[in-house]
Amino acid sequence: MANTRRAILNWCDETLQTALFKDYAPNGLQVEGRSDIRKIVTAVTASRAACDYAVSQQADMLLVHHGMFWKSEPLTITGWKKDRIATLLKHEINMAGYHLPLDAHPVLGNNAQLASRMGWTLDKQFGEQNLLNAGRLKTPKTLGELNAELHQKLGRVPVAVGEETRVIENIVWCTGGAQGFFQTAIDEGADVYITGEISEAQFHLANETGTAFISAGHHATERYGIQALGEAIQAQFGIETVFFDEQNPA
């Protein structure tokens, strides 16, 4: 027996506490499809490739971290956005996205899941909307060793700024495009700040403050929250979920 779209989305909203967040993308349903849900494809981003994969899997829902509607983008549905949405509508596939709530969730979230895979100890969540995480490496490592471990476990070469031989123990991290929080990590006294992206300014801040900076990839650091959410839905509702991944170097 199929589960309803509304039951699944209500459970996601309650579990991720979406009402607590001020986001710049809608959380929840973004494109409406059929009401009954028997199979879900999860993906980091609602790309055309992810939409096509959902079609190939005969999925009823595409569940993502990055949806298709952002406050900074034009409101018109043209070009690539029209093509993605047309594919979903033609096959009656729902598309739902959870952005900041999925970053911050203490168990299913991108930050929590990255820490779990890397074996980091979490001491606290803090900062803007509790998006930043402070903790420790279980065993101190040099910056070079930590960088190599991230490369090995995430499958992407990170960008590290700092002395490779510096011993790292206290860390602050936030997955995705969170380079703007670097000063907060510096103020927290971190040995290193780990996020998904780097901008020009972070190179100078790392060199001048002594706090190392690692950019481990936006996509690479955010693969795991959406998988955990899909697995939790599967456990809760008995719905088959399949993860679609892309080799996105950014």
Side-chain angles (χ1 to χ4, degrees):
M1 181 177 178
N3 290 278
T4 66
R5 173 184 62 234
R6 179 43 48 202
I8 294 165
L9 294 178
N10 284 345
W11 181 88
C12 287
D13 287 341
E14 182 178 348
T15 299
L16 299 177
Q17 298 184 292
T18 57
L20 299 181
F21 289 85
K22 183 179 181 181
D23 213 333
Y24 41 95
N27 288 293
L29 188 66
Q30 295 188 12
V31 177
E32 185 175 321
R34 61 182 67 93
S35 297
D36 291 341
I37 309 297
R38 293 179 172 84
K39 187 172 185 178
I40 295 174
V41 165
T42 60
V44 175
T45 299
S47 63
R48 178 60 188 271
C51 294
D52 289 342
Y53 184 79
V55 172
S56 74
Q57 291 291 306
Q58 297 182 306
D60 305 298
M61 179 179 286
L62 175 61
L63 182 66
V64 300
H65 178 49
H66 301 137
M68 282 189 275
F69 300 96
W70 304 91
K71 289 182 180 178
S72 60
E73 290 182 350
L75 297 176
T76 53
I77 300 176
T78 58
W80 60 267
K81 187 175 290 188
K82 172 261 200 180
D83 291 341
R84 294 183 195 180
I85 293 172
T87 297
L88 294 170
L89 291 176
K90 179 180 179 181
H91 297 276
E92 294 188 276
I93 299 172
N94 298 276
M95 190 275 283
Y98 290 94
H99 187 232
L100 296 184
L102 187 57
D103 287 320
H105 192 274
V107 177
L108 304 177
N110 285 316
N111 287 318
Q113 289 293 312
L114 178 62
S116 176
R117 277 157 179 76
M118 295 303 300
W120 300 337
T121 298
L122 173 66
D123 292 333
K124 67 176 182 178
Q125 291 179 270
F126 72 106
E128 183 178 325
Q129 301 191 76
N130 271 347
L131 292 170
L132 286 158
N133 295 253
R136 291 161 286 114
L137 303 183
K138 291 181 179 178
T139 302
K141 296 178 172 67
T142 66
L143 180 62
E145 290 169 339
L146 176 58
N147 207 41
E149 186 180 25
L150 282 161
H151 179 195
Q152 187 269 321
K153 291 188 176 180
L154 301 186
R156 178 195 183 274
V157 180
V159 175
V161 184
E163 292 292 333
E164 283 196 355
T165 57
R166 177 179 178 176
V167 176
I168 302 296
E169 183 173 8
N170 297 314
I171 62 173
V172 171
W173 70 95
C174 183
T175 65
Q179 62 268 51
F181 293 145
F182 188 24
Q183 184 63 55
T184 305
I186 294 167
D187 295 340
E188 187 66 21
D191 297 323
V192 66
Y193 177 56
I194 304 159
T195 186
E197 296 186 12
I198 185 170
S199 299
E200 192 269 350
Q202 283 81 58
F203 171 81
H204 303 291
L205 283 177
N207 284 328
E208 294 170 25
T209 65
T211 301
F213 184 98
I214 295 179
S215 166
H218 194 138
H219 179 89
T221 58
E222 296 198 323
R223 284 193 187 103
Y224 307 110
I226 197 67
Q227 291 183 66
L229 180 61
E231 290 164 5
I233 291 171
Q234 183 165 308
Q236 178 71 22
F237 294 95
I239 295 172
E240 180 183 2
T241 64
V242 179
F243 176 62
F244 171 72
D245 199 12
E246 297 183 71
Q247 294 304 310
N248 185 341

